[in-house]
Amino acid sequence: MDLMRTRRSIREFDDRPVPRGMLDQIVEAASWAPNHRHTEPWRFVVLEKDGDARAKVADLVYEWTWNYVKNPNPERRANSSAAARDEVLETPILMLMYSVPGSNEEITEENFAATCCAAQNMLLMAHAIGLAVGWSTGRVCKNEEVHKAVGAEADWAVVGAFFIGFPMSIPEAERKPVSEICTYLN
């Protein structure tokens, strides 16, 4: 319970590089998620810092943000676009997670749910070994060109972009008591 209570979505990291062995640990933890038909539908793409793939994705995120930012103010648009690009470039590890489709709609839906469970396993393992993860379904995920650039198959469903590193800090949080979120029926 302590692990679940203290895990947070974090996107502010220190400068330490994340060892590949730690990444392998969190991906392996993800792979042990419940999966009804044993399809193992999860796919991971890791964009290492300072790599060409990361730079390409950062440029695509900048362009997407510029084109789709809600505020038409040119200065805010430029700042938002630059901040989105810089976050992609500066985070120690950026990982994209996908769910592969099944042979029918039911299995495709089950695969997506299982991949979300895999993501939670990954987040908990990361926290257990001292890493922090920010799970995003925003800018990086919304840009179809990003998925093409990282080699994702056209029919894969993006589950999230995961910003991974050693946390600058871990904030406190609270949850509603069980009595407010759970109903028992006779």
Side-chain angles (χ1 to χ4, degrees):
M1 283 304 292
D2 186 56
L3 193 64
M4 288 179 273
R5 286 182 177 139
T6 58
R7 188 216 53 81
R8 297 287 170 272
S9 186
I10 296 172
R11 287 169 60 172
E12 292 184 11
F13 309 105
D14 66 26
D15 292 333
R16 287 180 284 171
V18 176
R20 183 165 287 182
M22 292 180 92
L23 290 174
D24 289 346
Q25 278 184 279
I26 66 174
V27 170
E28 181 181 0
S31 76
W32 284 98
N35 181 217
H36 177 223
R37 299 173 197 266
H38 301 282
T39 59
E40 298 188 52
W42 33 78
R43 300 295 181 269
F44 306 89
V45 178
V46 177
L47 300 167
E48 296 185 83
K49 194 169 184 175
D50 301 323
D52 292 339
R54 178 87 73 100
K56 173 72 173 167
V57 167
D59 289 342
L60 291 168
V61 168
Y62 177 94
E63 182 181 315
W64 187 93
T65 304
W66 180 267
N67 290 328
Y68 295 101
V69 70
K70 291 184 184 346
N71 189 327
N73 175 307
E75 183 179 348
R76 286 182 117 174
R77 176 175 275 168
N79 289 342
S80 292
S81 300
R85 178 195 60 223
D86 292 348
E87 183 181 34
V88 168
L89 289 172
E90 294 169 8
T91 193
I93 294 292
L94 178 60
M95 178 187 292
L96 291 163
M97 186 178 198
Y98 298 92
S99 175
V100 300
S103 58
N104 60 47
E105 188 176 332
E106 178 185 7
I107 296 172
T108 296
E109 192 173 299
E110 288 176 358
N111 283 355
F112 193 86
T115 304
C116 290
C117 291
Q120 178 67 355
N121 278 11
M122 186 175 75
L123 297 176
L124 290 170
M125 177 56 85
H127 183 53
I129 63 175
L131 294 173
V133 182
W135 182 355
S136 172
T137 57
R139 293 176 174 134
V140 176
C141 296
K142 294 185 182 314
N143 186 336
E144 289 302 318
E145 295 303 313
V146 165
H147 308 302
K148 290 177 189 174
V150 302
E153 298 290 328
D155 60 352
W156 291 2
V158 64
V159 172
F162 297 86
F163 296 79
I164 303 169
F166 292 96
M168 294 290 282
S169 63
I170 300 174
E172 297 288 325
E174 292 183 18
R175 294 293 190 266
K176 292 178 182 179
V178 171
S179 62
E180 290 185 28
I181 61 170
C182 181
T183 302
Y184 290 90
L185 302 175
N186 288 325

